[in-house]
Amino acid sequence: PMAELTCDPVPGVPKTSRRLLAGYLIHRDDPDALSVVYCELQAPVGPRASLVIYENEACSSPIMEIPIFESSVCCDVVGINCSCFVVEGHHFASQSSSERKLWLRALSNLKVKLQNKAPEPTQNELLHFRSAIRENIQTLQATQESRIARNPLLRLLDKHPLQLRKFAKVLAKALFWRIGPKQRKHDDQLYNRSRQTQGHGLVKRSGAQPQN
C-alpha cells in the first residue's frame, strides 16, 4: 500500500486520537495464511496500551485489538536483515528491518511508562511524543532505499483475507461431503483412467469406443 508510517490521527475519526505510530504490517493469520493490515499503536489508558488492527488506513472499523501491558512480550525475530517481530504471540513483518526497529522502540517506551505507573498522557504530552516519533519517521524515510514497485502487486479484494479463507474452507468442505462417497470414488477412477491414457493421446469414456 502507498500509505507511509505516520503518527498523526485520522481527521474525523475519534478512535485514532491517541495514536502514536501507525502503518501497514504483514500479519501471520495462521501457519498457512498472511494478510496485510493497518496497525496503530495507541497511548496508554490506565494500566494498558493498545495495538489496534484495521483493514486499511481509513481506520473505519477495527479488526482486532492487542492489549499491551507492562509484562507483555514484544521482541524481534533473529535473522539477517529480518523485518519480523512478535507482539503478544502475534507475528508481524514490516517493510524493512529499520522500520521494525522503530515499532519495537515505540513498544518498548510504552512498556517502560506502564512499568513506572506513569499517568495517562495529556494532549500536550501526546503532541511531544508524536513530535519525537515524527523525527524518527523522517530519518527512516530519508535513509530508506527506494522500493522496486510502489503500486500494489495484487488486486484488492472486497473481503478481508481472513474472511475469504474461512469461507473457502467452509465451501470446500460442504462440496466435498455433498457429492457423496460413491460419486467421489467414481470421479477418482475416471481421473486415474484419464491420466493413464493421456500418454496415448486418447481418453476413454464410458460407453464410447476408440476411433482410428
Side-chain angles (χ1 to χ4, degrees):
M2 294 294 292
E4 303 288 353
L5 284 174
T6 182
C7 57
D8 298 315
V10 179
V13 183
K15 63 173 67 73
T16 66
S17 61
R18 302 187 69 80
R19 171 180 292 183
L20 294 177
L21 179 63
Y24 278 101
L25 294 171
I26 297 175
H27 178 260
R28 191 183 74 170
D29 305 327
D30 58 54
D32 300 319
L34 302 172
S35 60
V36 179
V37 292
Y38 194 77
C39 299
E40 177 187 70
L41 188 60
Q42 294 187 352
V45 176
R48 55 171 276 184
S50 298
L51 181 62
V52 185
I53 299 177
Y54 302 93
E55 185 174 356
N56 53 47
E57 66 271 20
C59 302
S60 56
S61 57
I63 299 173
M64 178 171 55
E65 181 176 346
I66 303 174
I68 308 296
F69 297 97
E70 59 179 278
S71 59
S72 295
V73 177
C74 306
C75 60
D76 58 355
V77 177
V78 179
I80 300 176
N81 292 328
C82 181
S83 61
C84 302
F85 61 99
V86 181
V87 179
E88 284 293 87
H90 293 268
H91 291 251
F92 295 95
S94 58
Q95 299 183 47
S96 66
S97 57
S98 299
E99 187 173 312
R100 176 188 69 170
K101 185 177 180 180
L102 181 57
W103 278 100
L104 288 175
R105 182 178 178 182
L107 286 164
S108 177
N109 289 341
L110 281 181
K111 287 184 58 180
V112 170
K113 293 184 181 298
L114 293 172
Q115 290 168 358
N116 292 326
K117 304 296 188 293
E120 295 181 13
T122 63
Q123 289 299 320
N124 287 334
E125 290 175 331
L126 286 176
L127 291 177
H128 288 296
F129 294 161
R130 291 184 186 127
S131 177
I133 294 174
R134 188 178 294 108
E135 290 181 3
N136 284 274
I137 293 176
Q138 293 172 350
T139 301
L140 175 64
Q141 293 174 346
T143 57
Q144 194 171 24
E145 295 182 0
S146 59
R147 302 180 189 174
I148 298 176
R150 296 190 62 86
N151 295 325
L153 300 179
L154 299 177
R155 180 174 60 87
L156 182 63
L157 299 177
D158 294 334
K159 291 183 176 293
H160 189 266
L162 289 173
Q163 298 173 343
L164 289 174
R165 184 171 181 81
K166 292 179 181 178
F167 175 77
K169 287 181 179 179
V170 172
L171 180 61
K173 185 176 181 180
L175 292 175
F176 180 82
W177 289 107
R178 185 176 180 180
I179 62 178
K182 292 184 178 180
Q183 182 65 35
R184 290 198 297 271
K185 183 177 181 181
H186 177 68
D187 292 344
D188 291 340
Q189 292 174 346
L190 289 179
Y191 174 77
N192 293 332
R193 191 181 306 168
S194 66
R195 294 278 294 180
Q196 294 173 359
T197 56
Q198 278 178 356
H200 303 285
L202 177 66
V203 178
K204 294 184 179 179
R205 299 179 181 176
S206 59
Q209 298 294 332
Q211 300 179 358
N212 295 329

